[in-house]
Amino acid sequence: MRNFWLLTRFLLKTGPGNSNQKKTGKIKKSVIGNRIALYLLLGICFLPLIGLLFVMGMEGYRMLAPAGCEKMVIELVCIAGALVFFLFGITMFLSVFYMSSDIVYLLPLPFTPVQIVGAKWICCLLNEYYLVVLMFLPIFIGYGVGGRLGIRYWIGMAIGSLTLPVMPLVYAAILSMLVMRLFRNIRNKDVLSYLGFAASIVFAVGINIFVRSFDTMNAETLIAMVQNNQGLLESFHVIFPNLILLTRGISNGAIGYLFVYVGTCLIFLTLFFLIAWKVYLPGVLGMSETTGEKRRLSKGEVEKTVRRRNPVVTYAWIEWKKLYRTPVYFMNCVLMTLIWPFFLLAIVAVSLITSLGTAAVGGMLASLLEESELFGLLRGEVPVAVAILTAAGIAVMMSMMCMISSTALSRWGEDFIFIKSIPLSYREQIRGMLASGVMTSLIGTLPFSLLFNIAAVIFGLHPVTILYTIVITVVFVLFVNYEQILMDLMYPKLNWENEAQAVKQNYRAMLSAVIDFAAGGAFLALGAAGYVWLRLNIHLITILLLIAAGLCTWLLRKLVFAKGAKALGKLE
């Protein structure tokens, strides 16, 4: 047990994927401080969602209490929580148990598989409590406030909130270990990264559809939905047999039910450790890094790789190859930037069909086109203003989410010595870093904005909107990318163990995104204020907005090539 708690404490300090850090003092000050800052930033960003969930819990009680079905809220929340933690847990455990590079340091040490798995599992459990605080605790609090419940409810709620993730995470960990033990063909990091990304996409779409279905729901509809899907709810109770104890313990304030629930969780934890003792080590020893194949290059391929070309283009091509060939980088920095219109259209289409029906949606579109309503809607200055502000907003949002420039230096990690050893000036290297981010952002924004505006021009929108769209998209894409790369050059995250930490756990990139969002929002707010309050001509506002954004972009460019190059020179 001593080794188990020692390893757990160490992983809690460093994170479950950073166990080979060398300076414990630096770990305590920087890593823990960065983690706290990241959670505080997430909390601030999620304040509107927390308020919405609180109102949902409070109104859910008040809406269902007259029918005597208020406990249904607790049951649905517990089922949703079990599903969320289970789905999140699968991808998390695949990453933490198998994909983190600290495994190669832990396996030779005198730790048993149970100690390694148990320590990592506890770290993952503690990390999941931020989801409890952000998503489920507000509903529980709103439910208690709406019903003005007594102290027994609040004690049960506290115990239930602490124990809600336990069983789903046990299931997720057992399933992850069994899959990795039985299926040898997926035992590499690239395949696991793609599977995890696909699961997250499906989960995001499912959550969106589920939330949209509650937009116009009243008490009678909710009760009927639960009654019609009683078999589905019973299947959840079969999968999680002790979940009924948790729901009754919280809703009835019955502490005895909660103690029995905790006891069953301990039994499943014991089973989990027994499985880990036999299954984990054979599965993790077979891990490989990638799925690449070795083959002999032809003479033409060799000549193609050694031909002369512009050094900045070559450096940019290296950056692009790293993005394309590394699944984590490609999925987080490139893929969503390119497919977001299809993803958004799919969500909107499914939501409309779910709420209105296929016939109603088709009739609405046919009526809009047949009666030529678009010709009237798209004439005048207001549609031009909306189109310009939309194009600028899309450019800011998608460049902000692209994260290529905001992690340009951080993605090098400990290999940053390559930057200092190649015969290429720092200014040219920065230009090469910027090229990938700018081009990807433009490819992900400009064609879709132009396609939308060209279609709108056919139906009556002013043709100059196309020119405005091109210029404003380019300017705002440059602005965001210059700001992001400046932040990353000044404050890079070079100490990471797997690629996911360089992009997903890079709080500096998140801070840069917040700055971009605030700056873009300020520009758009000024433009909207000038049009609505000052009654300025939309063409004059657009020109002034472009001049202001262009000037800020020019100043950022100066800072990037001056301060950024100097920061690269001081990097050690």
Side-chain angles (χ1 to χ4, degrees):
M1 289 297 292
R2 181 177 178 273
N3 286 344
F4 172 73
W5 291 116
L6 181 65
L7 179 59
T8 303
R9 288 175 55 196
F10 184 67
L11 291 179
L12 286 175
K13 289 181 180 179
T14 63
N18 290 322
S19 62
N20 65 333
Q21 301 281 358
K22 297 180 180 179
K23 299 180 180 180
T24 56
K26 188 176 180 180
I27 290 171
K28 188 174 291 187
K29 291 180 181 179
S30 63
V31 175
I32 296 178
N34 293 348
R35 198 178 304 166
I36 293 174
L38 177 60
Y39 287 153
L40 289 176
L41 180 61
L42 284 174
I44 294 173
C45 295
F46 277 92
L47 278 178
L49 176 62
I50 292 173
L52 176 62
L53 294 174
F54 173 82
V55 173
M56 285 178 59
M58 184 169 59
E59 293 299 324
Y61 182 94
R62 294 175 179 175
M63 184 172 60
L64 297 176
C69 300
E70 68 277 3
K71 296 176 183 178
M72 190 184 300
V73 175
I74 300 297
E75 183 177 9
L76 292 176
V77 170
C78 290
I79 291 175
L83 182 61
V84 167
F85 288 118
F86 175 71
L87 294 176
F88 270 90
I90 291 176
T91 56
M92 178 176 61
F93 285 130
L94 288 175
S95 174
V96 172
F97 284 9
Y98 295 95
M99 296 174 61
S100 61
S101 56
D102 65 353
I103 297 297
V104 298
Y105 299 96
L106 295 177
L107 291 179
L109 295 176
F111 295 120
T112 65
V114 172
Q115 290 171 345
I116 296 175
V117 170
K120 284 177 169 285
W121 186 87
I122 289 179
C123 293
C124 293
L125 173 65
L126 295 178
N127 284 332
E128 288 301 292
Y129 281 129
Y130 80 92
L131 277 179
V132 175
V133 173
L134 293 179
M135 296 184 63
F136 302 105
L137 194 60
I139 301 179
F140 287 143
I141 295 176
Y143 181 89
V145 171
R148 298 181 180 180
L149 302 179
I151 187 64
R152 293 172 59 189
Y153 168 79
W154 297 104
I155 295 174
M157 183 209 70
I159 298 174
S161 299
L162 290 174
T163 56
L164 179 60
V166 173
M167 281 296 296
L169 293 184
V170 168
Y171 278 25
I174 292 175
L175 180 61
S176 301
M177 290 190 298
L178 292 177
V179 168
M180 295 301 296
R181 180 66 181 91
L182 297 175
F183 299 97
R184 301 179 62 88
N185 292 332
I186 67 169
R187 212 179 294 173
N188 62 74
K189 295 184 178 181
D190 288 0
V191 173
L192 293 180
S193 298
Y194 285 121
L195 289 177
F197 181 77
S200 64
I201 290 293
V202 173
F203 179 72
V205 174
I207 287 294
N208 184 274
I209 295 173
F210 180 76
V211 171
R212 292 278 185 179
S213 65
F214 281 89
D215 287 346
T216 58
M217 187 170 291
N218 52 28
E220 293 77 10
T221 307
L222 180 60
I223 294 172
M225 184 195 72
V226 173
Q227 291 175 348
N228 294 333
N229 294 275
Q230 196 64 36
L232 180 61
L233 297 180
E234 291 176 358
S235 65
F236 274 108
H237 290 307
V238 172
I239 298 172
F240 299 97
N242 59 351
L243 195 62
I244 189 67
L245 300 173
L246 179 62
T247 57
R248 290 179 180 177
I250 297 176
S251 58
N252 298 330
I255 308 300
Y257 279 112
L258 292 173
F259 280 129
V260 177
Y261 172 77
V262 173
T264 56
C265 289
L266 293 176
I267 294 174
F268 277 93
L269 272 173
T270 304
L271 177 63
F272 161 57
F273 289 136
L274 291 175
I275 295 175
W277 188 282
K278 297 292 185 180
V279 173
Y280 178 67
L281 196 58
V284 74
L285 289 178
M287 284 295 297
S288 63
E289 289 290 330
T290 63
T291 57
E293 297 181 357
K294 294 181 179 180
R295 65 182 182 88
R296 186 183 297 273
L297 295 178
S298 65
K299 182 180 179 181
E301 289 175 327
V302 173
E303 292 177 352
K304 184 178 179 181
T305 57
V306 298
R307 66 181 181 180
R308 292 175 58 89
R309 58 181 170 187
N310 187 288
V312 176
V313 175
T314 303
Y315 191 93
W317 188 243
I318 293 173
E319 287 283 319
W320 172 249
K321 283 184 177 180
K322 285 178 60 180
L323 289 167
Y324 176 75
R325 292 175 178 176
T326 308
V328 173
Y329 297 158
F330 180 72
M331 290 182 293
N332 288 277
C333 300
V334 179
L335 185 59
M336 285 306 299
T337 309
L338 302 180
I339 68 170
W340 68 269
F342 310 102
F343 185 71
L344 183 62
L345 287 175
I347 293 177
V348 172
V350 171
S351 301
L352 287 175
I353 293 173
T354 303
S355 58
L356 301 177
T358 306
V361 174
M364 181 177 64
L365 293 176
S367 174
L368 187 64
L369 293 175
E370 287 177 4
E371 297 176 9
S372 303
E373 293 184 9
L374 284 177
F375 288 96
L377 292 174
L378 294 177
R379 294 189 182 280
E381 285 192 351
V382 174
V384 175
V386 172
I388 293 171
L389 293 179
T390 302
I394 290 174
V396 172
M397 291 297 297
M398 299 317 303
S399 301
M400 181 181 74
M401 294 173 61
C402 183
M403 293 181 65
I404 293 179
S405 296
S406 62
T407 58
L409 179 57
S410 297
R411 281 184 276 108
W412 283 100
E414 295 181 353
D415 296 330
F416 75 91
I417 191 64
F418 173 81
I419 295 175
K420 304 183 72 68
S421 61
I422 60 175
L424 193 65
S425 68
Y426 293 138
R427 289 178 60 90
E428 290 180 319
Q429 292 187 53
I430 293 173
R431 288 171 59 194
M433 293 178 186
L434 274 167
S436 298
V438 172
M439 291 305 298
T440 305
S441 299
L442 286 176
I443 293 172
T445 55
L446 190 56
F448 303 112
S449 298
L450 279 178
L451 184 64
F452 174 80
N453 282 326
I454 289 173
V457 167
I458 295 174
F459 285 99
L461 188 66
H462 199 292
V464 78
T465 309
I466 297 176
L467 176 62
Y468 290 157
T469 298
I470 296 173
V471 178
I472 206 166
T473 299
V474 172
V475 170
F476 274 84
V477 163
L478 290 173
F479 173 84
V480 172
N481 279 273
Y482 278 129
E483 188 280 326
Q484 287 183 339
I485 201 169
L486 178 62
M487 176 70 74
D488 193 53
L489 291 173
M490 301 301 295
Y491 308 102
K493 179 183 175 66
L494 299 174
N495 195 6
W496 45 264
E497 290 301 314
N498 56 65
E499 294 88 355
Q501 294 176 353
V503 291
K504 291 184 177 181
Q505 300 177 21
N506 192 341
Y507 87 97
R508 300 171 181 86
M510 185 173 294
L511 178 61
S512 181
V514 172
I515 294 173
D516 295 331
F517 184 79
F523 277 118
L524 298 184
L526 288 175
Y531 181 75
V532 175
W533 293 336
L534 300 180
R535 305 289 184 180
L536 297 177
N537 182 277
I538 186 60
H539 304 285
L540 177 62
I541 291 176
T542 303
I543 294 172
L544 293 177
L545 188 65
L546 287 173
I547 292 174
L551 180 61
C552 293
T553 303
W554 179 78
L555 292 175
L556 280 174
R557 183 180 183 278
K558 285 289 189 181
L559 287 174
V560 165
F561 288 113
K563 299 292 184 180
K566 189 175 181 180
L568 283 179
K570 292 182 178 180
L571 197 62
E572 295 182 358

